[in-house]
Amino acid sequence: MMVTKSAVREEAEKKIKVTKTEHSRIGEIDFNNLVFGKKYADHMLVADFDGKEWINAEIVPFQNLSVSPSNAAWHYGQAIFEGIKAYKDPQENPMIFRPYDNYKRFNLSAERMGMPSVPEWLFIGGMDMLIDMDRNWVPTGEGCSLYLRPFMIAADEFIGVRPSETYKFAIINSPSGPYFNKPIKLLVQDKYVRAFPGGVGFAKAAGNYGGAMYPTMQAKQKGFDQILWVDGFEHKYLQECGTMNVFAIIGNTAVTPDLTQGTILEGVTRNSVMDVLKDMGLIVEERPVSIDELVTAYNNGTLREVFGTGTAASVAYVEQLDYLDNQLKLDTTKYEVGAEVIRRLDGIRTGKAADTRNWNYIVGE
């Protein structure tokens, strides 16, 4: 059967130059023991914004970038990124999970950071071409995927404080195992704040993660895996859980913080999980969720599960949550909701279950 390529892929092929590697490194990879974000596939996509348009779009062998010490991104933090995953269906066809949602969010982040938007042919079409070339790098092991990292940085060689006029866009690929391979422990952060209304909390900006490094390091020294961030005014309303969105199952209701304050990243996995939870018959509420509500639910026995969701982590069970003098311990071996969410999502992403919402983008078509 003849496969018809999309118009976006066809446009990408006309505009993106391809230079294939002469020596694949795939033989160096142990696909039975993949860790997250340590190894990279043979090729990468790069392009430049010259102040007016995107030029020099090319797929090249994976390599270092040459960047000036005066590069504006180093000094003023104009840098954004996305996290996307590709899987293989039972017929070995690579599929990207919901890339258009990431594409939309990438350009939303770009706008907030004063950066140019990336066209569809470059982001979606270029990603399609790149994965098509590196299709043998897409792992098929349980919990494994090809993790895709599109990113954009300022490229001006100028240390005056202003938005850069030029930019570099790239996509790299990493065959990866699970981000968390065990349930996690969370410390509710009551001193440091991740984001305030009017800030950049809703954007996937590099600085959001840089600002979290020190308090996260302190939490890990105390034996925790991540921080559960709360609001900066009352220090009680849940925001994000480390690098993830957060859900709590209270009775037959799934609650997750709403996005109205602009302090929380609108996670693609978050949105997918909400749809799956509704399919499962649970009530799903997006609203302000206080840590006091979780403590009360824990004490009265209605707090069934807490888990984080994100592209890298997928669904991460929370086994312990510490807030001031309160220690909430949960038996993750009894997590029925989270387990079913994982089962259903994995089925859709790997083509083993019906993709009724057309979430999967089939590479090369």
Side-chain angles (χ1 to χ4, degrees):
M1 182 178 70
M2 180 178 292
V3 175
T4 302
K5 294 179 180 177
S6 69
V8 174
R9 170 68 185 261
E10 289 183 343
E11 183 178 5
E13 290 181 350
K14 293 176 182 178
K15 295 181 176 180
I16 299 175
K17 179 182 176 182
V18 174
T19 303
K20 293 184 178 181
T21 184
E22 295 181 358
H23 305 286
S24 175
R25 294 175 288 102
I26 197 167
E28 303 171 8
I29 306 300
D30 181 359
F31 281 90
N32 294 317
N33 294 285
L34 292 173
V35 295
F36 183 86
K38 290 283 189 179
K39 302 292 183 180
Y40 300 94
D42 282 331
H43 299 92
M44 61 190 286
L45 170 69
V46 292
D48 299 310
F49 186 77
D50 66 359
K52 296 181 180 179
E53 61 181 345
W54 287 98
I55 61 172
N56 303 330
E58 186 175 6
I59 292 176
V60 297
F62 183 85
Q63 59 193 265
N64 292 340
L65 298 174
S66 178
V67 181
S68 167
S70 64
N71 177 278
W74 303 150
H75 302 275
Y76 305 119
Q78 266 191 299
I80 61 173
F81 67 94
E82 274 297 330
I84 309 174
K85 282 183 175 180
Y87 303 81
K88 277 186 177 175
D89 68 12
Q91 290 73 44
E92 298 287 306
N93 299 307
M95 304 188 302
I96 314 170
F97 187 68
R98 303 190 71 168
Y100 273 98
D101 295 272
N102 293 94
Y103 171 58
K104 177 182 176 182
R105 190 174 67 183
F106 189 85
N107 280 335
L108 184 67
S109 297
E111 179 182 28
R112 179 60 182 85
M113 298 301 290
M115 307 169 88
S117 62
V118 174
E120 185 180 357
W121 66 264
L122 180 56
F123 192 99
I124 299 293
M127 185 181 299
D128 186 336
M129 289 177 62
L130 179 64
I131 298 172
D132 210 354
M133 288 182 63
D134 284 339
R135 59 173 52 232
N136 291 335
W137 287 80
V138 183
T140 56
E142 184 177 353
C144 297
S145 62
L146 185 68
Y147 181 81
L148 318 172
R149 173 54 62 89
F151 64 94
M152 177 164 51
I153 61 171
D156 277 8
E157 298 178 5
F158 176 67
I159 55 174
V161 183
R162 60 159 174 74
S164 181
E165 296 176 353
T166 60
Y167 295 87
K168 172 75 75 175
F169 173 75
I171 304 177
I172 57 176
N173 306 327
S174 175
S176 296
Y179 192 84
F180 294 112
N181 55 16
K182 62 180 180 62
I184 61 174
K185 297 179 180 180
L186 297 179
L187 175 66
V188 178
Q189 178 56 249
D190 62 345
K191 176 181 179 182
Y192 298 101
V193 178
R194 177 187 173 274
F196 283 95
V200 297
F202 68 90
K204 206 161 178 68
N208 288 340
Y209 300 82
M213 296 296 180
Y214 178 65
T216 302
M217 181 177 67
Q218 289 186 316
K220 289 186 176 181
Q221 290 173 349
K222 296 177 181 178
F224 297 93
D225 299 290
Q226 283 285 358
I227 284 173
L228 179 54
W229 299 98
V230 291
D231 72 289
F233 297 109
E234 298 181 68
H235 293 284
K236 71 175 185 178
Y237 289 101
L238 309 189
Q239 294 199 339
E240 289 193 20
C241 164
T243 57
M244 303 173 286
N245 295 117
V246 63
F247 285 81
I249 309 300
I250 303 175
N252 196 44
T253 300
V255 298
T256 191
D258 65 291
L259 310 175
T260 55
Q261 295 294 312
T263 55
I264 298 173
L265 188 72
E266 184 176 3
V268 176
T269 306
R270 171 187 183 272
N271 291 341
S272 305
V273 167
M274 286 195 294
D275 284 340
V276 170
L277 288 168
K278 292 174 185 176
D279 290 345
M280 291 166 54
L282 275 78
I283 300 167
V284 178
E285 296 180 354
E286 292 181 80
R287 58 172 174 79
V289 182
S290 74
I291 184 62
D292 295 329
E293 179 180 355
L294 296 195
V295 172
T296 298
Y298 178 80
N299 289 334
N300 66 27
T302 59
L303 181 63
R304 297 167 56 191
E305 304 177 20
V306 177
F307 50 79
T309 65
T311 298
S314 188
V315 176
Y317 295 169
V318 175
E319 66 177 2
Q320 182 176 320
L321 196 158
D322 282 30
Y323 171 60
L324 300 178
D325 295 329
N326 300 283
Q327 187 175 85
L328 284 57
K329 289 191 174 183
L330 299 163
D331 184 356
T332 59
T333 64
K334 297 180 179 178
Y335 273 28
E336 297 179 351
V337 175
E340 181 63 11
V341 168
I342 293 172
R343 189 189 71 79
R344 294 194 185 201
L345 275 181
D346 283 349
I348 296 169
R349 292 183 295 208
T350 58
K352 297 173 183 176
D355 179 18
T356 59
R357 295 182 175 89
N358 295 316
W359 282 343
N360 291 322
Y361 178 105
I362 301 175
V363 170
E365 293 187 8

